[in-house]
Amino acid sequence: MAGHRDPLDELVVPDGTEAKEVALETDGDVLIGSRSTIEFGVRGRNVLAGESVSVDGEIEAEGDCRLDMWCDVAENVLVGQDAYIGERVHIEGKLKVAGDLDIGDDVDIEEGFEANGWIVIRNPMPTIVLMFVYLKHLLLIGEEDTAQRLISELVDEDADEDDPDTEPLVIPGNATVGDDAWRVSTPATIGDDCRLHGNVRAETIAVGSDCNIFGSLRARDDVTVGDGTRIHGDLTTRNGDVTITDDARILGDVSCADLELGPGAEIDGTIRADGEITMATGERDLE
């Protein structure tokens, strides 16, 4: 049987995501895998964090927020709808919930909490853990359509009817995301019109169009840079090929196996290619 990749086992940065000074902002949902460290605050529609996630800023969720056990949040947690807080979660600031609050044992909220709806003290998070175990089982037996429906229920149940297809921001387990670096051991996909700070380290990297990445890209395998994107740093791959498409620009060195350059692509630094260098030509007006 062919292997199936867990759709949560990849860094996915949706279109229009911005890493600002204090927060990582996206219009859709945010899924954070267990034991990850986020060196920003997080702002999104629904925010779901796995076990032992550390967030160094404020969490602001327009919809629901679910924090699994042992999570640590350095500032406030502000929730527009319902909150589900697992046991032994630590929040250094305040917890404000516009809807209902399910809260586990031994939760430490240093500046107190308030909820406008029902407050239930129990351990709500094992249900979420069970859902993810079930998801992995579905993928193992090849039920990918059923697994995708489950993911949609988890992250899109409160989606705006006018924008139902907004892709979630997915940060895989054991990742580090910060102003200095984005480090994952999985593939990384960055959408269009994103503005990120930090060096990106991943298995493979695909960057969309019209992005600004203020840092370098380093991957074990292939790297693709979309039309009009600017990479303010070096681009390096250990074993893979690099494709730099139309009018993209690398403000640094490029090191790879094969290199393909689209029309108008620019590299400001040194090129080190062990294989072939291909330069595509496009129709341009002659003056």
Side-chain angles (χ1 to χ4, degrees), residues 10-231:
E10 180 178 2
L11 173 64
V12 179
V13 182
D15 297 349
T17 299
E18 290 190 58
K20 297 187 176 178
E21 267 187 45
V22 297
L24 185 58
E25 297 187 6
T26 185
D27 292 333
D29 299 324
V30 181
L31 295 176
I32 306 173
S34 298
R35 296 173 297 280
S36 289
T37 299
I38 313 301
E39 297 173 355
F40 299 104
V42 176
R43 295 174 186 165
R45 186 167 56 202
N46 300 306
V47 178
L48 289 77
E51 183 178 333
S52 300
V53 166
S54 175
V55 179
D56 290 349
E58 184 172 86
I59 293 178
E60 186 174 346
E62 295 178 11
D64 295 347
C65 179
R66 301 172 185 263
L67 303 180
D68 204 344
M69 60 180 66
W70 297 106
C71 285
D72 194 326
V73 183
E75 297 183 20
N76 300 324
V77 177
L78 309 177
V79 185
Q81 295 183 17
D82 300 332
Y84 307 83
I85 309 298
E87 61 183 359
R88 296 182 177 85
V89 167
H90 175 230
I91 299 172
E92 290 189 28
K94 296 179 288 187
L95 170 63
K96 289 188 174 182
V97 182
D100 299 336
L101 171 62
D102 273 17
I103 189 166
D105 296 332
D106 298 324
V107 173
D108 181 16
I109 305 170
E110 294 190 10
E111 297 186 19
F113 68 90
E114 59 184 73
N116 291 333
W118 293 97
I119 299 176
V120 179
I121 299 175
R122 59 181 180 180
N123 293 325
M125 292 314 300
T127 302
I128 303 303
V129 174
L130 178 61
M131 287 183 181
F132 281 95
V133 171
Y134 179 50
L135 170 64
K136 289 180 180 293
H137 174 70
L138 290 173
L139 292 167
L140 184 64
I141 64 176
E143 294 288 342
E144 294 181 333
D145 291 342
T146 304
Q148 189 59 51
R149 286 197 296 272
L150 176 60
I151 295 170
S152 298
E153 289 176 5
L154 282 171
V155 302
D156 290 333
E157 58 186 0
D158 298 307
D160 189 330
E161 293 181 359
D162 295 330
D163 192 16
D165 297 323
T166 303
E167 190 174 21
L169 169 62
V170 180
I171 298 172
N174 299 298
T176 299
V177 173
D179 198 51
D180 177 60
W182 298 52
R183 294 188 180 91
V184 300
S185 58
T186 66
T189 301
I190 299 170
D192 301 334
D193 300 305
C194 293
R195 183 181 178 89
L196 307 180
H197 291 261
N199 304 309
V200 180
R201 306 287 184 258
E203 181 182 315
T204 62
I205 302 173
V207 183
S209 302
D210 299 314
C211 294
N212 264 298
I213 310 294
F214 294 91
S216 62
L217 304 182
R218 181 180 296 172
R220 288 195 297 272
D221 294 313
D222 296 347
V223 178
T224 303
V225 178
D227 299 353
T229 285
R230 299 290 181 268
I231 306 299

